[in-house]
Amino acid sequence: MRRIAICVAADEGSKKRALALERGITLWAMGAGEDVMIKQFAGGVQVFPAIEMEGMPELYFLDLENERADGFQIALKIRETDFTSGIVFLSNGGEHERAAYRVHPFQFLSEPLEYECLAEIMDDYVRMRGQDIENFVCVVKKMRYNIRLKDIQYFYSECRHVTAVCRERNYSFYGRLNEVQSKVEEKSGCFLRIHQSYLVNVHYIKEYSYDKVLMANGEALSVSRDKRKRVKEVHALMEG
């Protein structure tokens, strides 16, 4: 499901525009076969508490024209912790639009709203996100990271937290390894569960043995008894 936030000012005119935008996105989603959840907010006063409670949307529509909507300020605050969500500014050009490039928007949508332009933006956005299929998204201390799966050597779990061990740094976040495994296996066949606490990228296994594997970073990870047969099979396949 794609979570979408529409942030406008609180006046009646802005609310009508937001409603028209929501209807346009809903119409596009029906035609594109996409599942969307759209929520409207009156500026940052409403959107940021919602993010705290529900997590970050993947796409924001922000009003850049109406100063009472605080669209640019909202975008600046979003980018303090979230570098991967898309931002579409509602704008008719001018100085505001030039300044807005500081927050790396995905696109600008001019008004009055035209469905064809909105549908084109949504199609392009979905196409762009499709190129991120081999990435893993996690939230660390309210900051969202988009990590390439090929850079992750392994995941390990400890006390309701999961850590992604990468070549450059580690990312620890709240979650369960079973949930991580499900998400990763939808995108890549390179990860192997070797233990209740370990999910490893087979391309980073340096050595295999009966009860452990040696990773490229020098860490020796235990292989549980019920996983040894599968690890042996994968080893044989890797050896060719």
Side-chain angles (χ1 to χ4, degrees):
M1 177 179 289
R2 299 187 184 278
R3 297 177 59 238
I4 300 172
I6 300 174
C7 302
V8 297
D11 61 90
E12 289 303 315
S14 295
K15 289 179 180 179
K16 289 180 181 179
R17 289 159 52 221
L19 183 59
L21 179 56
E22 180 173 347
R23 287 173 177 165
I25 296 171
T26 302
L27 181 60
W28 166 83
M30 292 173 61
E34 290 282 341
D35 189 14
V36 297
M37 181 174 68
I38 308 167
K39 289 194 174 183
Q40 297 182 31
F41 302 96
V45 174
Q46 289 187 359
V47 72
F48 291 116
I51 290 173
E52 291 281 347
M53 293 290 294
E54 304 170 12
M56 301 171 182
E58 70 166 86
L59 180 61
Y60 297 84
F61 284 84
L62 305 178
D63 189 345
L64 199 60
E65 293 296 315
N66 191 330
E67 293 184 0
R68 290 174 294 176
D70 292 328
F72 182 59
Q73 295 303 318
I74 292 172
L76 285 174
K77 191 170 179 60
I78 288 169
R79 285 293 184 248
E80 289 177 4
T81 57
D82 181 0
F83 304 103
T84 62
S85 294
I87 294 175
V88 176
F89 281 119
L90 308 177
S91 171
N92 289 320
E95 293 295 328
H96 292 303
E97 206 166 281
R98 283 191 285 273
Y101 280 103
R102 288 175 53 193
V103 296
H104 308 287
F106 175 71
Q107 191 53 276
F108 295 88
L109 179 61
S110 61
E111 296 185 295
L113 176 66
E114 295 182 4
Y115 174 75
E116 291 76 13
C117 295
L118 173 61
E120 183 177 351
I121 287 174
M122 294 303 300
D123 286 339
D124 288 346
Y125 177 79
V126 170
R127 193 176 302 115
M128 182 271 293
R129 282 302 186 202
Q131 296 175 358
D132 293 339
I133 192 168
E134 292 190 356
N135 289 355
F136 179 80
V137 177
C138 62
V139 177
V140 181
K141 295 181 179 179
K142 300 182 181 179
M143 185 170 291
R144 182 168 171 157
Y145 292 91
N146 205 357
I147 313 167
R148 292 181 297 183
L149 286 175
K150 66 180 182 179
D151 291 337
I152 301 174
Q153 299 187 42
Y154 61 92
F155 295 93
Y156 72 86
S157 63
E158 187 176 34
C159 300
R160 295 279 300 184
H161 280 78
V162 177
T163 298
V165 178
C166 303
R167 292 182 291 183
E168 301 296 329
R169 58 165 291 185
N170 297 347
Y171 301 83
S172 294
F173 53 94
Y174 183 79
R176 294 180 180 274
L177 194 57
N178 286 344
E179 296 169 354
V180 171
Q181 182 178 358
S182 296
K183 292 179 181 179
V184 167
E185 288 179 346
E186 290 177 357
K187 302 179 178 183
S188 172
C190 298
F191 285 82
L192 176 66
R193 188 73 174 265
I194 65 168
H195 189 278
Q196 183 178 354
S197 301
Y198 299 120
L199 177 67
V200 304
N201 187 333
V202 296
H203 294 300
Y204 287 96
I205 298 177
K206 188 176 179 181
E207 295 178 10
Y208 291 82
S209 63
Y210 177 68
D211 60 353
K212 64 178 180 287
V213 294
L214 181 65
M215 303 302 293
N217 65 353
E219 290 289 332
L221 307 180
S222 297
V223 178
S224 59
R225 185 170 310 209
D226 62 317
K227 306 293 185 185
R228 289 172 184 170
K229 181 179 179 181
R230 178 57 181 159
V231 170
K232 184 177 180 181
E233 291 172 351
V234 172
H235 181 209
L237 288 171
M238 296 293 289
E239 291 294 309

